[in-house]
Amino acid sequence: MSLIKWVDFQTLGDHRGSLVALEIGMEKAVPFDIKRVYYIYHTAEGVSRGFHAHHNLRQVAICVAGKCRMVLDDGVKREETWMSSPTRGLLIETMVWREMHDFSDDCVLLVLASEHYDEADYIRSYSEFLEGIRA
Ligand code: TYD
């Protein structure tokens, strides 16, 4: 099964433009209760981010402006996708290594998270990540 799992959002649009609303309890859009929201923007040219996995955290990442390239890796396969649509989110499950590359100047990557920030939940070493997968 592919690591690239999109959730499509309903777009509420009219002649003025577009709007996406995400609410807690919207099972189909976000398959967890959102405890935290953060966004990444003004990423310096040539910078890549991420390079970690999480033991327990689930996330939905939405590129609300611009574009970036997301790489996901479950220790067996490595897949990538461009993120450029504000009307769909990429579901990133637990124990998936993620890297973000090639941010456009105007990229705003919004992330919905299932847990509060917890540094202890991070796996920041790829070799440790592989050991965790195989344990
Ligand atoms: P980091 O996890 O390194 O970002 P990325 O994985 O996108 O490269 O986070 C950068 C800094 O921000 C780091 O010091 C931790 C802090 N941080 C928080 O305090 N709260 C948060 O919700 C997040 C995502 C990061």
Side-chain angles (χ1 to χ4, degrees):
M1 206 169 65
S2 175
L3 291 172
I4 309 296
K5 292 178 208 140
W6 295 105
V7 281
D8 288 306
F9 306 137
Q10 190 188 354
T11 309
L12 308 167
D14 58 26
H15 65 281
R16 295 170 298 171
S18 304
L19 186 154
V20 170
L22 301 172
E23 286 192 23
I24 290 168
M26 271 181 158
E27 272 292 317
K28 272 193 219 152
V30 183
F32 50 78
D33 281 351
I34 301 160
K35 288 209 183 128
R36 175 166 55 106
V37 175
Y38 65 91
Y39 42 96
I40 294 168
Y41 64 104
H42 284 178
T43 304
E45 200 182 334
V47 166
S48 295
R49 301 196 60 136
F51 299 95
H52 62 256
H54 288 278
H55 292 288
N56 195 35
L57 184 73
R58 303 175 77 199
Q59 295 181 310
V60 168
I62 308 153
C63 189
V64 293
K67 64 175 185 168
C68 66
R69 184 169 58 87
M70 178 76 79
V71 174
L72 298 182
D73 179 335
D74 67 359
V76 177
K77 53 189 181 299
R78 194 172 169 90
E79 295 177 6
E80 65 171 56
T81 183
W82 281 98
M83 311 242 349
S84 59
S85 170
T87 66
R88 62 184 191 169
L90 184 67
L91 177 62
I92 308 175
E93 294 287 7
T94 59
M95 291 306 281
V96 173
W97 184 265
R98 83 286 318 268
E99 298 172 10
M100 291 149 277
H101 305 276
D102 302 326
F103 286 87
S104 61
D105 289 347
D106 59 346
C107 183
V108 182
L109 189 66
L110 178 73
V111 182
L112 314 176
S114 66
E115 306 298 332
H116 294 283
Y117 178 73
D118 175 13
E119 186 58 38
D121 189 61
Y122 279 70
I123 306 168
R124 292 192 183 273
S125 144
Y126 189 73
S127 55
E128 259 176 52
F129 164 68
L130 290 181
E131 281 167 28
I133 292 289
R134 285 160 195 168

